Amino acid sequence: MMEEKCKMRRKIYNKLLEWKSNDENKKPLMVLGVRQCGKTYVIKDFCKNEFENVCVINLLERDDIIELFSRPINSEEKYNILKTMLNYDIEDENTVLFIDEIQESEDLISQLKFFCENHNNVNIICAGSLLGVKLKRLKKSFPVGKVWMIDMFPMDFEEFLVANNREKFVDLLKDCFNNNKFLGSPLHEELLRYYRIYLLTGGMPEAIQNIVDANLDYVKYDTKILKNILASYYKDMRKHVKNEAEALKIERVYRTLPSQLMNASKKFQLSIIDVDARNREYETAIDWLMGSNMIIKCECVSLPEIPLKGFVDNETFKFYLSDVGILCTILGLSVRDIVTDNISLYKGIIAENFVANQLLCNGFDLFYWKNTATAEVDFLLYTADGVIPVEVKAGENTQSKSLKVYMEKYDAKYAIRISTKDFGYDPKTKIKSVPLYATFLIKDNFLVIKIVLIFKCMKKIEKIT
């Protein structure tokens, strides 16, 4: 694990605190996330800060514990033997047991129900690689409702700014976002530079640490970090699979995703993988990639009504990669071209993938709208204010027939346009302008009342004048 040099403060820490404070119905905690997104790092940091004693078990190094839970003895016996083996008072309220790489033992995963029901005074946190895949393929019963599960994602742009000691930028952006204030140059240009550097590293902590250590000098950035992570992903594709044929299908799907995003039909097509491909042949491979959190599904909605899930076209969807830095690595883009914004035709899908990552970090399910003609809106957000359309533009050219068609047809309360333009709000079109680097601020019910009030005030002024 890398040495902490910059402020790797993660938002998930607050969710871990929420779990710790829930004394009424304490359950074992399970953290799921793509490999290398920092699960072990943040959990160890949390355990060290919030508990007096920490007992760490890495099942890749503890065959004896795996063997213990596979024995044909009752759960209480296993529990008592475990306490003896650990030589730790795990029942002490100030002690936490962190089980890493828990996917190595199906028996131990199934025993989490026993811990919840019979020993919920024990603080247990679990994590592991490909855990989502493992849970979907368990032969043992999964303790549904007996485990508190949290999804963890790569670092978002706000966490990236904090890691670069730019917390003041975050406060300033929040003010501009909430009040539709124009940020102005040179800060706007500087933040666009940070955005492009983030495209280079993505949200992987090791890559961010490297660029921070280089003082954002991209010439010194080590591109091998993401290449090695991508290589480990391909290696993972041969783990927890039924056979070699399934592994090959998983890899084929993953390798075609950049070209899928460039697809003119704006949907995932098996024919791009293989002209003779059939859905049933690739269902398992796609399910594996989703379970591993390597890809994110964005579902198409033909009628943007609440709830969006109820109006999904099951035959039409897109997939984004879990991390925009990994996408740029797969594309083989040079460091200089990314940072100087010389990424040509792929600029649009890279910006889209970035926005998808940021929205997912804020808890949004991903949907998009496409009518029977050519109109399409990149994202639909299901919020307390109804369905909100979001369009992504990679540059300053923000002309969009699709968003206009959508607003005229469905009359949403407002729309969001994400681009390289500065903040702003147009009461006539009801479009809120958000710079790409401020996407992390888009959250459910984000002080939209201010937009409504501004609109009403402008109407009053028009009447007076």
Side-chain angles (χ1 to χ4, degrees):
M1 187 59 61
M2 64 184 178
E3 179 184 352
E4 182 177 12
K5 297 180 182 179
C6 59
K7 298 177 182 177
M8 289 292 179
R9 294 212 298 265
R10 305 299 302 272
K11 295 178 183 179
I12 195 175
Y13 200 100
N14 292 329
K15 293 184 179 180
L16 299 178
L17 287 173
E18 184 182 347
W19 165 78
K20 182 177 184 291
S21 64
N22 187 10
D23 295 326
E24 293 183 6
N25 187 22
K26 181 62 66 71
K27 300 176 183 178
L29 175 65
M30 185 174 285
V31 181
L32 294 88
V34 70
R35 179 188 285 276
Q36 304 283 355
C37 70
K39 296 186 297 296
T40 300
Y41 177 86
V42 74
I43 292 171
K44 283 186 174 180
D45 187 51
F46 169 78
C47 292
K48 180 182 71 175
N49 294 337
E50 307 300 332
F51 292 90
E52 293 180 10
N53 307 299
V54 183
C55 180
V56 180
I57 301 173
N58 187 326
L59 289 189
L60 288 175
E61 303 168 355
R62 295 300 301 264
D63 291 339
D64 55 340
I65 292 178
I66 294 175
E67 187 275 330
L68 164 64
F69 280 89
S70 68
R71 293 182 196 174
I73 56 178
N74 67 50
S75 297
E76 193 63 41
E77 288 181 271
K78 292 178 182 179
Y79 175 72
N80 289 327
I81 295 173
L82 176 67
K83 287 197 298 180
T84 302
M85 292 172 67
L86 296 177
N87 193 27
Y88 238 93
D89 183 9
I90 58 175
E91 294 182 347
D92 180 359
E93 64 178 6
N94 296 313
T95 296
V96 60
L97 175 62
F98 172 33
I99 306 174
D100 204 3
E101 306 295 352
I102 194 173
Q103 79 282 347
E104 297 300 314
S105 174
E106 288 193 11
D107 297 286
L108 183 46
I109 291 173
S110 65
Q111 284 294 305
L112 294 177
K113 178 181 179 181
F114 169 77
F115 278 95
C116 178
E117 294 179 341
N118 300 87
H119 296 283
N120 65 358
N121 58 320
V122 180
N123 299 300
I124 303 176
I125 303 178
C126 310
S129 303
L130 302 180
L131 192 48
V133 173
K134 190 68 175 181
L135 296 182
K136 286 187 174 184
R137 301 187 173 191
L138 283 179
K139 295 177 182 177
K140 303 279 184 178
S141 61
F142 179 70
V144 178
K146 305 298 180 181
V147 177
W148 186 319
M149 302 179 74
I150 298 178
D151 289 314
M152 183 173 178
F153 306 101
M155 296 172 72
D156 72 0
F157 191 74
E158 179 181 6
E159 291 171 321
F160 175 78
L161 288 177
V162 172
N164 281 280
N165 294 310
R166 294 296 183 269
E167 294 96 332
K168 290 182 180 179
F169 277 179
V170 175
D171 294 333
L172 180 61
L173 291 178
K174 286 180 180 178
D175 182 44
C176 291
F177 179 87
N178 291 330
N179 297 289
N180 301 303
K181 286 184 179 180
F182 197 73
L183 181 63
S185 296
L187 287 179
H188 176 65
E189 294 303 323
E190 184 175 358
L191 280 158
L192 284 176
R193 183 175 73 91
Y194 274 92
Y195 159 72
R196 291 173 186 129
I197 292 174
Y198 180 89
L199 296 183
L200 178 66
T201 65
M204 294 304 176
E206 186 180 356
I208 291 176
Q209 179 79 68
N210 183 261
I211 199 70
V212 171
D213 291 345
N215 294 317
L216 300 186
D217 182 353
Y218 63 84
V219 175
K220 298 178 182 178
Y221 173 68
D222 186 357
T223 59
K224 294 193 297 294
I225 294 172
L226 288 189
K227 288 178 181 177
N228 289 339
I229 291 176
L230 183 57
S232 72
Y233 284 0
Y234 288 129
K235 186 177 179 181
D236 283 343
M237 290 173 192
R238 302 187 179 277
K239 289 184 179 181
H240 306 298
V241 294
K242 296 175 182 177
N243 49 52
E244 180 69 13
E246 183 187 5
L248 288 173
K249 288 177 181 176
I250 293 169
E251 188 170 332
R252 282 176 192 160
V253 173
Y254 194 71
R255 287 185 183 276
T256 64
L257 287 184
S259 57
Q260 293 276 7
L261 289 171
M262 286 288 288
N263 187 0
S265 69
K266 298 297 182 180
K267 67 176 183 178
F268 178 82
Q269 291 183 309
L270 286 174
S271 59
I272 293 178
I273 303 171
D274 184 343
V275 291
D276 297 320
R278 297 291 181 269
N279 285 333
R280 65 179 180 275
E281 296 174 354
Y282 281 88
E283 279 179 349
T284 304
I286 291 172
D287 191 56
W288 189 98
L289 285 167
M290 290 178 65
S292 68
N293 295 312
M294 289 183 193
I295 64 174
I296 308 162
K297 190 175 187 179
C298 185
E299 299 181 288
C300 183
V301 173
S302 55
L303 182 63
E305 295 287 346
I306 294 174
L308 289 173
K309 273 285 186 185
F311 298 92
V312 165
D313 176 1
N314 293 319
E315 301 299 318
T316 307
F317 51 86
K318 296 187 287 188
F319 285 119
Y320 295 102
L321 275 75
S322 60
D323 182 74
V324 72
I326 293 294
L327 172 60
C328 290
T329 301
I330 291 176
L331 289 171
L333 292 167
S334 74
V335 170
R336 181 177 293 278
D337 283 341
I338 294 171
V339 176
T340 59
D341 199 29
N342 183 33
I343 46 183
S344 187
L345 295 176
Y346 275 95
K347 185 186 296 189
I349 68 162
I350 289 172
E352 251 186 71
N353 206 117
F354 167 81
V355 171
N357 296 153
Q358 305 302 300
L359 293 176
L360 192 69
C361 287
N362 276 347
F364 285 108
D365 292 325
L366 300 186
F367 302 95
Y368 72 107
W369 173 77
K370 190 177 188 302
N371 66 5
T372 53
T374 57
E376 177 191 352
V377 172
D378 297 316
F379 298 102
L380 295 180
L381 305 183
Y382 182 9
T383 75
D385 291 294
V387 178
I388 304 303
V390 177
E391 181 150 86
V392 181
K393 295 290 185 181
E396 290 192 354
N397 181 8
T398 56
Q399 296 298 317
S400 172
K401 293 180 180 179
S402 294
L403 190 58
K404 183 179 179 181
V405 169
Y406 182 97
M407 293 298 284
E408 289 175 350
K409 188 170 184 177
Y410 298 109
D411 192 30
K413 285 188 177 181
Y414 55 93
I416 301 172
R417 180 180 285 135
I418 303 172
S419 69
T420 56
K421 282 192 172 182
D422 211 323
F423 292 96
Y425 179 70
D426 185 342
K428 292 181 179 179
T429 60
K430 298 191 293 185
I431 295 177
K432 179 181 178 70
S433 177
V434 177
L436 279 157
Y437 54 74
T439 305
F440 71 89
L441 291 167
I442 298 175
K443 299 172 184 177
D444 189 7
N445 207 14
F446 60 85
L447 297 179
V448 174
I449 294 173
K450 290 192 176 182
I451 293 178
V452 176
L453 289 175
I454 290 169
F455 181 70
K456 288 180 178 178
C457 287
M458 293 189 73
K459 282 293 184 183
K460 289 180 179 179
I461 292 170
E462 287 176 6
K463 289 181 180 179
I464 294 170
T465 56

